[in-house]
Amino acid sequence: MSPSKYFTGEQKEAMVAAIREAEKNTSGEIRIHFENHTRREVLDRAAQVFAELKMHKTALRNGVLIYIALEDRRLAILGDAGINAKVSTGYWDDISDQLVSDFKQGNVCGGVCKAVHAIGLQLKNFFPHRADDVNELPDDLSFGQEK
């Protein structure tokens, strides 16, 4: 089954709405990428997707990717250099741990929305929205297959 078929239309809309809500208060960018499997170490695959989605092209290097391999039950959260320089050590691990907990309860969509909200708060703290901000990356969900 395609990873896009894993979610209902309402669930997809909820995750996109969470991204839009989080990004209203920050110049930071959040993307969510789903696929079924990865053959690589999850952080390596997340880094590849990060590059493919051109997340390193934001002006302040403040993009954050939530990468999830659904059937493998593996995930990674990857922040660009700008946000990584600001968040505390272990911050991404804390968000990942909460996501794992939500996933174990069968709450993938809700867990992702909570993670986006938490990431948005950190981005807002360090990269508040400015009058001249533009949305540098799409807010839509990304679905793919490792090649």
Side-chain angles (χ1 to χ4, degrees), residues 6-31:
Y6 188 87
F7 302 101
T8 66
E10 292 81 19
Q11 289 172 319
K12 291 176 192 174
E13 289 173 20
M15 289 184 279
V16 170
I19 292 170
R20 289 185 177 140
E21 184 63 28
E23 288 184 359
K24 281 194 324 193
N25 300 309
T26 179
S27 64
E29 299 288 336
I30 302 170
R31 296 290 317 262

Side-chain angles (χ1 to χ4, degrees), residues 2-101:
S2 166
S4 67
K5 304 286 188 215
Y6 188 87
F7 302 101
T8 66
E10 292 81 19
Q11 289 172 319
K12 291 176 192 174
E13 289 173 20
M15 289 184 279
V16 170
I19 292 170
R20 289 185 177 140
E21 184 63 28
E23 288 184 359
K24 281 194 324 193
N25 300 309
T26 179
S27 64
E29 299 288 336
I30 302 170
R31 296 290 317 262
I32 306 166
H33 180 85
F34 294 101
E35 46 193 34
N36 288 331
H37 301 286
T38 180
R39 294 182 299 274
R40 303 173 209 201
E41 180 59 42
V42 69
L43 278 174
D44 292 340
R45 178 61 181 147
Q48 180 184 15
V49 170
F50 194 95
E52 289 171 358
L53 296 176
K54 300 184 181 354
M55 295 189 65
H56 59 290
K57 299 284 187 174
T58 60
L60 297 174
R61 303 289 305 267
N62 57 359
V64 178
L65 173 67
I66 299 173
Y67 169 86
I68 301 169
L70 293 162
E71 292 181 15
D72 292 342
R73 298 179 182 219
R74 298 170 71 198
L75 67 94
I77 301 176
L78 197 61
D80 206 348
I83 186 63
N84 280 344
K86 305 281 187 184
V87 296
S88 62
T89 304
Y91 178 73
W92 303 126
D93 292 334
D94 293 343
I95 300 290
S96 294
D97 291 346
Q98 181 60 55
L99 268 171
V100 168
S101 175

Side-chain angles (χ1 to χ4, degrees), residues 83-137:
I83 186 63
N84 280 344
K86 305 281 187 184
V87 296
S88 62
T89 304
Y91 178 73
W92 303 126
D93 292 334
D94 293 343
I95 300 290
S96 294
D97 291 346
Q98 181 60 55
L99 268 171
V100 168
S101 175
D102 289 327
F103 291 0
K104 285 180 180 177
Q105 296 172 26
N107 190 16
V108 175
C109 177
V112 168
C113 290
K114 281 195 312 193
V116 167
H117 176 72
I119 291 166
L121 290 175
Q122 285 298 313
L123 287 168
K124 178 185 173 185
N125 287 339
F126 298 116
F127 300 97
H129 187 271
R130 299 181 321 240
D132 63 344
D133 279 339
V134 295
N135 193 8
E136 297 177 272
L137 298 173

